[in-house]
Amino acid sequence: MELKNHMEIVVDRMLKVFVEKDPNICTCENCILDVKAYALNHLPPQYFVTEKGEVYTKAKDLTIQFETDVTSVLVQGIEKVKKHPRH
Ligand SMILES: [Zn+2]
């Protein structure tokens, strides 16, 4: 079994959408991980246990459920990293 965080799946999914829409977001590993870390530090974790390797199909529903919260936190994180990228 494996421990996973719903919120991380949602953040990953939505961050991808933001990056595709905004060409000004730096997509290097550093910046993407900084935005992700910022977002996950400002959102409540939602842990669940799953079979190892199982594809988590509810991620889409969860994206909708947490969309407003995740959007506002991601926007803050992206702005922060844009102003002070670590490179
Ligand atoms: Zn960068």
Side-chain angles (χ1 to χ4, degrees):
M1 301 301 277
E2 227 178 358
L3 187 64
K4 286 197 177 169
N5 180 2
H6 280 167
M7 202 50 92
E8 189 175 351
I9 295 169
V10 174
V11 164
D12 265 343
R13 189 178 285 257
M14 290 186 62
L15 183 54
K16 223 182 197 178
V17 175
F18 271 92
V19 166
E20 279 167 10
K21 277 191 199 156
D22 185 349
N24 296 319
I25 300 172
C26 176
T27 55
C28 79
E29 199 184 16
N30 236 333
C31 292
I32 293 297
L33 287 178
D34 275 345
V35 173
K36 200 176 150 179
Y38 179 91
L40 289 173
N41 279 333
H42 288 81
L43 290 161
Q46 304 279 342
Y47 288 109
F48 67 100
V49 177
T50 182
E51 293 278 353
K52 215 178 163 110
E54 186 186 356
V55 178
Y56 190 64
T57 50
K58 278 191 189 149
K60 207 178 166 197
D61 300 340
L62 286 162
T63 304
I64 294 157
Q65 194 180 335
F66 299 122
E67 198 161 14
T68 319
D69 295 346
V70 177
T71 299
S72 62
V73 172
L74 273 179
V75 167
Q76 289 167 26
I78 287 165
E79 286 311 310
K80 201 172 160 317
V81 171
K82 266 185 188 170
K83 274 182 204 150
H84 305 285
R86 288 201 292 172
H87 55 70

